[in-house]
């Protein structure tokens, strides 16, 4: 049976609004994903002509177009006013259909387009005025389908769109220190660390991350919502909360590519690193594409004094063209065991300090941070709980990134050091990320490692822990390509040879795959890396894999549990086993929740 396309052309694969700065432009607009084979030069030229004609009819001048055509993907972007983004998606679709079929294709749709434009403008006609007022006042603005706001946190004002005045008074609006955190690995940990540093300074702080949205109205932390809030929705919740006086926003690739930036202004942005992950989605097919996507955060940085915190150890970040109006500040870990001692790495840090007074280096086992050109010794990294006695190389880098971003956004070095010496000592500090605990004579390491570099760092940390035997629970969601899945498994085995690997299926995260398809690819990756077949076992779910790991364990073992979906249930099981005084090597009590 032939599937009927929801779009006016079957070659259109996706159509969406981009409500802020995005991969194609600093302005909002709409983007089409089309079949690459259909995106010929002739059709693209015709598409531009049809876009221009329809945009002129709506008074959208200028309407800029961007065509991004690769062998694997083709994307067609148009700029559009904030009171016409929904209409812009339809305009883009119709223009492409006519580029393929001729000007007279779909005449009914053009009449519908004009009607839709009138309805959308009636509802959102005051939104462009709000944006202009915010820009003139030098403050942030956010707009979604129901609410528009100006300023941020304690300095914000919000209106429902049907109550938005035609003239917005920005006199009393202001911004709060705002930090955006992106990168391939370490985003959540770095976000939580920076937020903890602001809270240590006694400042009511809001943050959004892969776990939820939080506001700390000292001394109480309130969860506004639970779930993955690394996109625009989480950022808006924080920036519109008038209790908040500092904001830290995890800003993931998916939200940037699906909707663009939610915040129009930020004071600091962090790019932790660039690593292979999520290839094949939204036109991202290479590390260079991924770098472009992550660098979108620089569009929000306040001109002349916005700070972009970058990893000097990452070769692609060293090649990033930093906007001239932005201050680049670099961090590096150069101890031989965990980083690189190249002259290029060191030079980047020191040039940043010379130019803007900011930088961070881990060397000889100590973290030093430069503020206003003056270096401060933050102490030995082995005293930072998050580094697990200086064995967790990835968290050493995260600590340096967070310290630099915090001081760049206004936190004192004293509060940064206090946080580094305490954060990670409690399981609740960084849930789901390098959670190390002991249970019944074994060591359990829970983490969310989701790409080869993250998995390599996790397994290398586990390899440094004393152990009789080591086990890995390995799995992944289905929205990675075959190569990435095999590479994830190989990275784990190459970091350390495990005595047992349990490969879990994840029925709730198949993402277009069929059951057992992802585990088969992970198994291939392990075998290609040298794992013996008798070491490998399968589990039909994450929780089943955890139970199998516990039944296998003997005292003195280390279990590395990659937990993606069932963390609450796994933690409850651990709690019940602790209460029952369970010892590894004995049967699991019938009273614990393993059904």
């Amino acid at each position: 049976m032939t599937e009927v396309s929801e779009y006016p052309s079957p070659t259109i694969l996706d159509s969406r609004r981009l409500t802020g700065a995005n991969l194609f432009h600093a302005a909002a607009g709409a983007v089409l994903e089309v079949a690459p084979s259909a995106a010929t030069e002739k059709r693209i030229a015709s598409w531009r002509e049809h876009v221009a004609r329809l945009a002129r009819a709506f008074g959208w001048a200028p309407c800029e177009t961007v065509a991004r055509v690769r062998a694997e993907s083709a994307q067609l972007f148009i700029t559009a006013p904030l009171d016409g983004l929904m209409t812009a998606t339809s305009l883009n679709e119709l223009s492409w259909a006519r580029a393929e079929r001729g000007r007279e294709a779909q005449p009914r749709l053009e009449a519908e387009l004009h009607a839709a434009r009138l309805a959308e403008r009636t509802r959102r006609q005051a939104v462009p005025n709000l944006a202009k007022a915010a820009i003139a006042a030098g403050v942030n603005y956010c707009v979604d389908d129901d609410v528009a706001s100006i300023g941020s946190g304690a300095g914000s004002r919000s209106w429902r769109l049907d109550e938005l005045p035609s003239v917005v008074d920005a006199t009393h609006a202001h911004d709060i220190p705002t930090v955006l955190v992106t990168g391939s690995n370490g985003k959540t940990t770095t976000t939580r660390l920076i937020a903890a540093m602001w809270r240590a300074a006694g400042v009511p702080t809001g943050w959004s991350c892969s776990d939820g949205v939080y506001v700390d109205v000292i001394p109480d932390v309130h969860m506004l919502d639970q779930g993955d809030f690394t996109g625009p929705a989480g950022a808006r919740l924080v920036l519109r909360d008038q209790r908040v006086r500092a904001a830290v926003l995890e800003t993931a690739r998916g939200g940037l590519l699906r909707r663009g930036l939610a915040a129009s202004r930020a004071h600091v942005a962090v790019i932790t690193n660039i690593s292979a992950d999520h290839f094949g989605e939204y036109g991202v097919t290479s590390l260079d594409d991924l770098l472009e996507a992550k660098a979108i955060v620089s569009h929000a940085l306040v001109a002349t004094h916005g700070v972009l915190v970058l990893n000097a150890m990452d070769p692609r970040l060293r090649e990033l063209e930093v906007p001239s109006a932005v201050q680049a500040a670099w961090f590096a870990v150069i101890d031989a065991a965990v980083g690189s001692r190249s002259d290029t790495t060191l030079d980047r840090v020191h040039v940043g300090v010379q130019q803007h007074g900011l930088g961070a280096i881990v060397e000889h086992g100590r973290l030093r941070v430069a503020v206003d050109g003056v270096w401060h010794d933050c102490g030995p990294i082995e005293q930072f709980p998050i580094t697990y006695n200086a064995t967790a190389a990835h968290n050493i880098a995260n600590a340096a990134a967070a310290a630099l971003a915090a001081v760049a956004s206004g936190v004192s070095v004293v509060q940064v050091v206090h946080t580094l010496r305490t954060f990670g000592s409690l399981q609740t500090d960084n849930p789901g990320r390098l959670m190390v605990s002991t249970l019944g004579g074994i060591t359990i390491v829970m983490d969310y490692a989701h790409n080869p570099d993250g998995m390599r760092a996790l397994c290398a940390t586990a390899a440094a822990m004393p152990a009789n035997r080591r086990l890995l629970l390995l799995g992944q969601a289905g929205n990675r390509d075959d190569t990435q899945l095999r590479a994830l498994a190989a990275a784990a085995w190459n970091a350390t040879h495990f005595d047992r690997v349990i490969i879990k299926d994840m029925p709730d995260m198949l993402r277009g795959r069929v059951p057992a398809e992802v585990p088969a690819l992970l198994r291939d990756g392990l075998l290609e890396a040298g794992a013996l077949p008798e070491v490998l076992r399968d589990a039909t779910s994450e929780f089943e894999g955890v139970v199998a790991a516990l039944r296998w364990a003997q005292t003195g073992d280390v279990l590395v549990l990659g937990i993606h979906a069932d963390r609450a249930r796994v933690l409850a099981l651990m709690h019940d086993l602790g209460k029952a005084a369970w010892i590894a090597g004995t049967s699991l009590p019938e009273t614990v929740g393993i059904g």
Side-chain angles (χ1 to χ4, degrees):
M1 182 176 178
T2 303
E3 187 173 335
V4 178
S5 174
E6 64 179 291
Y7 302 115
S9 165
T11 64
I12 297 175
L13 308 177
D14 187 31
S15 176
R16 61 187 183 274
R17 295 167 290 158
L18 298 173
T19 57
N22 53 75
L23 185 63
F24 312 96
H25 205 282
V31 63
L32 283 183
E33 306 262 358
V34 303
S37 59
T40 64
E41 290 186 14
K42 182 177 179 181
R43 282 178 178 163
I44 290 173
S46 178
W47 162 75
R48 293 185 196 274
E49 292 173 2
H50 289 297
V51 167
R53 186 183 69 80
L54 288 170
R56 281 195 301 271
F58 290 155
W60 293 356
C63 178
E64 299 181 44
T65 58
V66 177
R68 192 172 185 266
V69 180
R70 309 286 177 84
E72 306 88 350
S73 65
Q75 299 165 299
L76 308 173
F77 171 82
I78 63 174
T79 59
L82 292 174
D83 63 349
L85 293 178
M86 285 295 292
T87 308
T89 61
S90 299
L91 184 154
N92 210 6
E93 295 162 17
L94 179 58
S95 297
W96 178 249
R98 288 183 168 176
E100 290 187 302
R101 304 179 189 177
R103 180 169 175 172
E104 297 310 314
Q106 306 283 355
R108 174 181 56 82
L109 288 183
E110 185 165 348
E112 293 177 358
L113 190 63
H114 282 272
R117 167 58 179 152
L118 179 62
E120 184 177 17
R121 187 173 186 181
T122 299
R123 183 166 186 262
R124 300 173 65 93
Q125 60 185 337
V127 171
N129 292 336
L130 174 137
K132 290 177 183 177
I135 293 169
V139 296
N140 177 67
Y141 67 89
C142 296
V143 181
D144 56 38
D145 290 341
D146 301 304
V147 178
S149 58
I150 190 170
S152 56
S156 67
R157 294 185 63 198
S158 301
W159 298 265
R160 290 187 54 82
L161 292 188
D162 55 8
E163 299 172 350
L164 183 61
S166 57
V167 177
V168 173
D169 181 6
T171 305
H172 301 294
H174 63 82
D175 284 340
I176 59 173
T178 300
V179 182
L180 310 180
V181 181
T182 194
S184 297
N185 292 301
K187 296 185 297 296
T188 300
T189 296
T190 302
T191 295
R192 290 169 172 164
L193 257 173
I194 299 168
M197 290 166 180
W198 270 105
R199 283 151 41 214
V203 177
T205 305
W207 68 101
S208 56
C209 65
S210 57
D211 254 4
V213 183
Y214 302 84
V215 171
D216 182 6
V217 184
I218 299 169
D220 299 316
V221 175
H222 304 272
M223 176 183 278
L224 302 187
D225 213 336
Q226 186 173 17
D228 186 348
F229 278 90
T230 58
R236 288 191 293 260
L237 276 173
V238 173
L239 293 173
R240 289 172 175 165
D241 195 309
Q242 293 189 325
R243 296 171 294 180
V244 174
R245 284 171 170 74
V248 189
L249 312 173
E250 183 176 346
T251 308
R253 163 212 56 87
L256 289 170
L257 294 171
R258 280 193 300 270
R259 284 289 180 259
L261 271 175
S264 66
R265 286 171 62 91
H267 302 87
V268 177
V270 183
I271 306 180
T272 58
N273 46 58
I274 303 296
S275 177
D277 203 0
H278 292 288
F279 287 164
E281 295 183 344
Y282 305 110
V284 172
T285 59
S286 69
L287 287 170
D288 289 337
D289 291 342
L290 200 55
L291 174 61
E292 280 189 77
K294 303 293 186 182
I296 294 169
V297 294
S298 65
H299 286 301
L301 290 172
V302 178
T304 70
H305 59 274
V307 177
L308 183 60
V309 172
L310 298 168
N311 185 346
M313 300 173 291
D314 190 303
R316 280 185 167 77
L317 287 175
R318 291 201 300 266
E319 296 170 4
L320 179 66
E321 187 174 340
V322 178
S324 58
V326 169
Q327 302 178 34
W330 300 85
F331 67 91
V333 179
I334 60 174
D335 284 356
V338 293
S340 166
R341 183 178 282 281
S342 73
D343 290 339
T344 302
T345 300
L346 283 169
D347 287 348
R348 286 300 171 98
V349 177
H350 289 301
V351 167
V353 174
Q354 291 168 5
Q355 292 179 338
H356 311 299
L358 292 164
I361 291 179
V362 175
E363 188 174 19
H364 306 306
R366 305 183 75 86
L367 170 62
R368 294 187 300 132
V369 177
V371 184
D372 295 328
V374 177
W375 285 97
H376 301 264
D377 187 349
C378 297
I381 55 174
E382 64 182 12
Q383 292 183 2
F384 306 161
I386 198 171
T387 72
Y388 198 75
N389 296 319
T391 62
H394 57 304
N395 274 349
I396 296 171
N398 292 336
L404 181 53
V407 297
S409 60
V411 181
S412 73
V413 174
V414 171
Q415 300 302 340
V416 165
V417 172
H418 169 77
T419 304
L420 289 172
R421 290 182 176 175
T422 56
F423 188 90
S425 57
L426 300 175
Q427 292 279 356
T428 53
D429 286 341
N430 198 24
R433 304 302 191 274
L434 197 63
M435 295 174 66
V436 181
S437 59
T438 57
L439 174 69
I442 59 176
T443 300
I444 294 175
V445 184
M446 286 176 53
D447 201 282
Y448 182 73
H450 56 87
N451 59 41
D453 281 355
M455 183 60 69
R456 190 177 297 110
L458 170 64
C459 294
T461 302
M465 298 177 179
N468 293 336
R469 304 180 302 169
R470 293 181 177 86
L471 173 147
L472 172 66
L473 175 63
L474 177 67
Q476 181 56 290
N479 60 339
R480 272 73 169 178
D481 64 28
D482 293 1
T483 300
Q484 288 176 280
L485 290 168
R486 293 190 184 97
L488 180 77
W493 189 260
N494 290 332
T496 188
H497 293 179
F498 288 90
D499 299 282
R500 176 62 55 89
V501 179
I502 298 175
I503 307 170
K504 63 178 181 175
D505 207 353
M506 299 171 64
D508 294 334
M509 301 180 74
L510 294 175
R511 311 283 169 80
R513 302 271 188 176
V514 299
E517 183 180 0
V518 169
L521 291 165
L522 294 172
R523 177 179 288 267
D524 288 346
L526 288 164
L527 294 173
E528 290 167 4
L532 298 176
E534 56 265 31
V535 171
L536 310 182
R537 297 291 187 274
D538 293 309
T540 59
S541 71
E542 186 168 273
F543 191 76
E544 178 190 307
V546 171
V547 172
L550 292 169
R551 285 175 170 157
W552 175 87
Q554 301 287 334
T555 56
D557 291 347
V558 170
L559 309 188
V560 181
L561 306 181
I563 302 298
H564 294 77
D566 286 334
R567 189 175 76 225
R569 190 179 180 194
V570 171
L571 289 174
L573 173 60
M574 305 299 180
H575 177 265
D576 290 347
L577 288 172
K579 284 184 64 177
W582 172 77
I583 300 296
T586 65
S587 298
L588 296 177
E590 294 182 0
T591 54
V592 302
I594 59 173

